[in-house]
Amino acid sequence: MKPLHAAALLLAAALVGCAVPEWQKPGTPQAEVERAMGRPTQTEPLPGGGERLLYSRQPAGQQVYHMDFDAQRRLVRVTQVLTLENFQALRNGVDTRDSVRRMFGPPALVEKVARFHGDILTYRILDNGEPRQAHVHVDPAGVVRRVMFTDERLRDPDPHR
């Protein structure tokens, strides 16, 4: 068997086992979703006895999915939450490191800079198909102080063009 053919077969076999969050249907039992999707990045209790499974594609990907289940452990909805609007909705002085982590999961990167005393939680997002980064500034007490956005350069432009 040629190496290229073998690699194509391995890729096809791997893709067959991949589950896509958006393809999960409401009403599907939680155990079935977890079997298809694998272990979630984190879980959070929901009001009324439900549970949220959070599946993150950070640090390389630009999606974080909330998969919400009711008290009977049936899928209610799937939501991709790494959006510009969700980061813009964060409240300076009110939201905390914990509330950010519950909403978005672990960041792609935690940084420090000289002009801010605290951590900067960086998440990779897509904004209308364009790669961007959301930077959430969290002070030493764990309170969100600022949210900033930058474009993400995935590759340097060709200097010979």
Side-chain angles (χ1 to χ4, degrees):
M1 185 180 306
K2 294 181 180 179
L4 185 58
H5 184 69
L9 285 175
L10 283 173
L11 177 62
L15 289 176
V16 168
C18 287
V20 178
E22 298 98 319
W23 294 354
Q24 303 302 311
K25 304 245 184 297
T28 304
Q30 184 172 341
E32 189 176 317
V33 170
E34 287 190 70
R35 215 174 7 263
M37 295 293 304
R39 184 180 178 147
T41 306
Q42 68 189 45
T43 61
E44 297 291 335
L46 293 175
E51 185 173 41
R52 171 172 291 152
L53 304 185
L54 187 143
Y55 286 91
S56 176
R57 293 190 175 155
Q58 297 281 299
Q62 297 152 319
Q63 299 85 20
V64 169
Y65 294 94
H66 286 184
M67 301 184 83
D68 292 348
F69 294 86
D70 61 20
Q72 289 72 43
R73 301 294 184 241
R74 298 276 179 190
L75 183 63
V76 176
R77 79 185 126 273
V78 177
T79 308
Q80 197 291 108
V81 297
L82 282 187
T83 66
L84 187 71
E85 295 77 19
N86 284 339
F87 281 100
Q88 288 173 332
L90 291 174
R91 299 158 300 167
N92 294 338
V94 176
D95 279 302
T96 65
R97 176 188 302 272
D98 290 339
S99 66
V100 169
R101 191 169 178 100
R102 278 192 305 278
M103 178 68 171
F104 303 114
L109 184 64
V110 178
E111 304 173 279
K112 291 193 180 292
V113 295
R115 296 196 181 263
F116 178 74
H117 186 62
D119 290 335
I120 301 173
L121 312 179
T122 298
Y123 292 86
R124 300 181 68 234
I125 66 173
L126 287 176
D127 177 24
N128 291 317
E130 293 296 321
R132 308 222 36 222
Q133 293 181 336
H135 308 282
V136 181
H137 294 68
V138 179
D139 70 18
V143 178
V144 172
R145 292 296 169 195
R146 180 181 322 142
V147 179
M148 297 174 59
F149 301 92
T150 58
D151 293 334
E152 181 177 25
R153 294 186 62 182
L154 296 179
R155 58 192 137 125
D156 289 330
D158 184 354
H160 301 292
R161 283 189 160 178

